[in-house]
Amino acid sequence: MESHDGEWSLKELQKLEGHADRVWSVAWNPATGAAGVPAMLASCSGDKTVRVWEQNPSSSSWSCKAVLDETHTRTVRSCAWSPSGKLLATGSFDATTAIWENVGGDFECVSTLEGHENEVKSVCWNASGSLLATCGRDRSVWIWEVLPGNEFECASVLQGHTQDVKMVQWHPTMDILFSCSYDNTIKIWAEDGDDDWHCVQTISEANGGHTSTVWALSFNTAGDKMVTCSDDLTIKIWETDSRKMMSGDGYAPWSHLCTLSGYHDRTIFSVHWSREGIIATGAADDAIRFFVESKDGSVDGPSHKMILRNEKAHDMDVNSVRWSPGENRFLASASDDGMVKIWELVPVIG
Amino acid sequence: MVSELINANPVVYEKKERRVRSAPSRADEYAVEAIDQLEIFDHLRDIKDPEHPYSLEELKVITEDAIEVDDSNSYVRVTFTPTVEHCSMATIIGLCLRVKLMRSLPSRYKVDIRIAPGSHATEAAVNKQLNDKERVAAALENPNLVDMVDECLAPTNGLAG
């Protein structure tokens, strides 16, 4: 990353209004925002709907393109676009996951995945779009296989967490699944080549892990580091031996690299690592913070420093922060105040 | 539903006299008054216990002193004491406190609810649930639970809500 040692500022580009209740998550459509395709964003809310927003290429202003309603009967908690950008998965407190297809600007619900016993908390597609993972308060993690004709088949139901599972995230390049939970642990799930998924590692307090609910996790671009955030008011950085991981020669375990504490004084709900290496966090104190690896590390190795804290990013808790997939420093945030905001992180010169 | 009351004979305390606030002086007619301990207590004192026909004040489940408020930082922490150590209604009481404050305080407020340390067998577990915003949100989408909470929050005849 081009190092800018000076100051940064977070510019609010636009406030997207429309949801009638808190907004829980936002997701950028990965197939948009470049090559003449207008950028597209999805947001999901306690108002039981999902909104799809699109940016007008000439005016750069965002507007609501579609409202996906009359499907979920309770809060929609999580949304994720497939890597091709053609499908949108939405997970709801109504215990179902809906799959929506973009059919020429209109969004149709083409499938509903049932199985979870209660609230679905997170949905995530793997890098190739062949698998979808979901998790929920029933403590289980489900892996679904994507079949032709928008058919989904349950490939595995993973038990192991002893409490509510808050988020699932696939590794950016390998089909290894990560989950984090109210039980304070992070679990890593892999398949042994025989379609048999099992837990290959559990990161708990004993291994330098969190001491309260782990709300989210995110990987760096290379996929050899991950950052987790928690109700224990810290964010933790983890690393793995990428050569071993990619060689396929057995499982490469993750180990604790560092803990960033003292920066947050209320629960951190969301964390996202940008292409360039800037970590953004969204917390219950209405603020958005940014961290980068600090070059002036001690003998013990690199650490991180906070480059910016935007105190009143929203009027209420920030539930989700997501960097745009494009060649820019745009960030979307979602809040209890019912708003989605689009920001740009800009270096301050001079 | 519980057929036997968990605490059949709770200790009932006398209600505190309600202080009448003096009218603001002419100088601060337009000033917004800072929210203080008494105001928070006034929102909570008449909440009915889920099991007994008494208020949380009468059962000393909440007291004015157990409320910490910092209006300039929009923060409040309420500590409550269930009537018995194994009270399974602790989560409901905590939820009632949260809902009442959610409905009464400006949205800028951050609210922490906790059980008085040492007063409950599973206080860490209850505290964790009560302070997990997502769990609270999901619970409040359960109509049976909402009915219970609304029952506790409903004003009794003759008293201000």
Side-chain angles (χ1 to χ4, degrees), chain A residues 22 74-75 77 121 164 166 182 184 213 266 284 286 317 319 336, chain B residues 75 107-108 110-112 125 128-129 132-135 137-138 141:
Chain A
R22 68 183 3 141
R74 285 183 61 179
T75 286
R77 176 64 180 89
K121 306 272 171 113
D164 185 10
K166 299 297 196 186
Y182 183 102
N184 306 351
T213 300
R266 289 194 72 80
D286 314 347
D317 292 10
N319 297 320
D336 277 356
Chain B
Y75 176 73
S107 60
R108 60 185 165 92
K110 303 297 177 193
V111 179
D112 284 343
K128 194 172 184 181
Q129 270 192 75
D132 180 315
K133 179 177 79 175
E134 189 186 58
R135 293 288 282 264
E141 285 185 356

Side-chain angles (χ1 to χ4, degrees), chain A residues 272-308:
Chain A
H272 199 219
W273 215 325
S274 80
R275 270 175 322 109
E276 280 184 307
I278 308 174
I279 293 170
T281 64
D285 62 355
D286 314 347
I288 295 176
R289 294 170 174 77
F290 299 89
F291 300 84
V292 295
E293 201 172 303
S294 169
K295 297 301 172 203
D296 33 86
S298 62
V299 194
D300 295 325
S303 188
H304 291 70
K305 60 175 182 185
M306 183 171 75
I307 58 173
L308 180 64

Side-chain angles (χ1 to χ4, degrees), chain A residues 155-341:
Chain A
S156 196
V157 177
L158 307 172
Q159 310 282 3
H161 278 295
T162 57
Q163 294 274 6
D164 185 10
V165 190
K166 299 297 196 186
M167 192 193 212
V168 278
Q169 277 288 124
W170 287 98
H171 185 270
T173 56
M174 316 211 55
D175 281 346
I176 301 175
L177 184 64
F178 293 68
S179 58
C180 59
S181 165
Y182 183 102
D183 69 12
N184 306 351
T185 73
I186 296 141
K187 280 183 180 284
I188 304 172
W189 315 84
E191 188 217 347
D192 65 1
D194 218 5
D195 269 341
D196 188 26
W197 291 85
H198 53 278
C199 180
V200 292
Q201 190 179 358
T202 298
I203 298 173
S204 64
E205 203 179 329
N207 328 109
H210 290 288
T211 54
S212 190
T213 300
V214 188
W215 280 97
L217 64 102
S218 174
F219 295 94
N220 66 350
T221 312
D224 63 350
K225 290 208 177 82
M226 83 173 157
V227 58
T228 55
C229 67
S230 167
D231 177 62
D232 70 7
L233 314 183
T234 71
I235 63 175
K236 288 175 182 277
I237 317 269
W238 309 84
E239 64 175 356
T240 189
D241 180 343
S242 49
R243 257 172 310 156
K244 182 172 159 102
M245 172 179 71
M246 302 215 276
S247 71
D249 175 31
Y251 173 68
W254 289 77
S255 57
H256 178 258
L257 184 55
C258 67
T259 295
L260 306 183
S261 56
Y263 296 98
H264 298 85
D265 48 25
R266 289 194 72 80
T267 305
I268 310 150
F269 289 118
S270 179
V271 67
H272 199 219
W273 215 325
S274 80
R275 270 175 322 109
E276 280 184 307
I278 308 174
I279 293 170
T281 64
D285 62 355
D286 314 347
I288 295 176
R289 294 170 174 77
F290 299 89
F291 300 84
V292 295
E293 201 172 303
S294 169
K295 297 301 172 203
D296 33 86
S298 62
V299 194
D300 295 325
S303 188
H304 291 70
K305 60 175 182 185
M306 183 171 75
I307 58 173
L308 180 64
R309 176 184 67 196
N310 188 295
E311 262 179 35
K312 265 291 168 191
H314 281 274
D315 293 334
M316 293 173 74
D317 292 10
V318 182
N319 297 320
S320 178
V321 286
R322 278 285 174 281
W323 290 102
S324 148
E327 296 273 320
N328 51 53
R329 293 196 184 107
F330 293 153
L331 184 86
S333 63
S335 166
D336 277 356
D337 65 11
M339 303 291 153
V340 171
K341 286 190 181 186

